[in-house]
Amino acid sequence: MRTYLIQAFTIVLTIMSCRQTQEKLPLLGEPTVSQRVVKGKKVYDSIYPVVPSFSFTDQDSLTVNEKTFAGKAYIADFIFLSCPSICPKMTAEMKKVYDHFSTDERVSFLSHTIDPERDSIPRLKAFTVSLGLDDKKWKFVTGNQDSIYLLAERGYFSTAYRDSTAPGGYLHSGGLLLIDKNRHIRGVYDGTNPKETGRLINDINILLKEPS
């Protein structure tokens, strides 16, 4: 009986281990299919979209681009500091994730202002100071407004644009986006929902365990 229990327990552990090693986040976006020939046979590959190259300026007047996050996972969002609706909640939930990974150099954070006219570099800096953030780990960036909107739409499949009928004059997505070290989008989370914040933290841990 004892031998049977040991064997059964071993099987359960093996199954659990296999499930853990097989757990992997999906790649998001509509893939394109490419064709190549391997040993005389056609092989089809699904190529998923990546966040395109970009260049903005952060709260310390430093250039931030895709190379800033080379080899790292990062969480991105689109906000504006005078937002009277969802932005404060989004930032509060993002801060929870930041606090959880504050000492993990593999994870960074990127917030884009969609109101660069009002969100000047000094204002972004004052905001990060008020939150007690590490400027190297969490970048708040500004830049050309059209470039930010275009990146939101085509790079992150998100929403950001002027709308005089929206609170604060802008309409934007409330999503927090998880990006892997290859610039693929691996998850989108409701930045106003604490349960989604927990899911994001869990998914980051899964992502960090993926093989290089």
Side-chain angles (χ1 to χ4, degrees):
M1 181 68 176
R2 183 179 179 183
T3 301
Y4 172 78
L5 289 174
I6 292 174
Q7 290 176 339
F9 184 64
T10 302
I11 291 172
V12 170
L13 287 179
T14 301
I15 292 172
M16 291 178 65
S17 176
C18 289
R19 286 179 177 173
Q20 289 174 354
T21 55
Q22 291 173 356
E23 190 173 19
K24 187 176 180 179
L25 300 180
L27 291 128
L28 302 186
E30 188 69 28
T32 57
V33 178
S34 67
Q35 176 184 305
R36 56 193 172 97
V37 177
V38 179
K39 295 181 179 180
K41 294 183 179 181
K42 293 181 180 179
V43 176
Y44 297 92
D45 299 311
S46 294
I47 310 299
Y48 284 84
V50 299
V51 176
S53 299
F54 58 87
S55 182
F56 298 118
T57 304
D58 75 0
Q59 65 267 36
D60 291 312
S61 298
L62 300 175
T63 297
V64 173
N65 54 37
E66 70 280 359
K67 296 178 183 177
T68 305
F69 306 98
K72 297 182 179 182
Y74 70 94
I75 299 88
D77 68 357
F78 292 84
I79 61 168
F80 62 109
L81 299 188
S82 57
C83 172
S85 55
I86 64 174
C87 297
K89 183 62 176 176
M90 289 172 63
T91 300
E93 294 303 315
M94 183 91 108
K95 179 66 161 49
K96 293 178 184 178
V97 185
Y98 168 90
D99 289 340
H100 191 91
F101 293 97
S102 62
T103 60
D104 195 325
E105 296 181 355
R106 298 171 296 173
V107 182
S108 293
F109 299 81
L110 175 60
S111 291
H112 312 74
T113 177
I114 61 171
D115 182 14
E117 293 181 5
R118 287 183 289 184
D119 290 344
S120 63
I121 291 173
R123 191 178 184 193
L124 293 175
K125 180 64 177 181
F127 186 66
T128 60
V129 169
S130 72
L131 293 175
L133 303 178
D134 178 351
D135 291 335
K136 293 181 180 179
K137 191 171 186 68
W138 190 344
K139 301 290 187 179
F140 281 75
V141 297
T142 185
N144 177 270
Q145 189 173 60
D146 290 338
S147 296
I148 294 172
Y149 291 175
L150 193 63
L151 182 67
E153 179 184 351
R154 299 186 181 178
Y156 294 96
F157 307 105
S158 189
T159 301
Y161 56 87
R162 285 182 181 272
D163 185 339
S164 60
T165 66
Y170 294 88
L171 188 65
H172 66 100
S173 166
L176 307 181
L177 300 110
L178 176 58
I179 315 301
D180 70 16
K181 59 186 177 182
N182 296 313
R183 290 158 47 198
H184 290 116
I185 301 174
R186 304 301 296 273
V188 182
Y189 311 83
D190 182 351
T192 66
N193 186 340
K195 290 184 179 179
E196 286 283 278
T197 302
R199 185 168 71 90
L200 171 54
I201 290 172
N202 181 67
D203 282 358
I204 294 172
N205 284 321
I206 292 172
L207 182 61
L208 294 177
K209 293 175 183 177
E210 287 188 4
S212 301

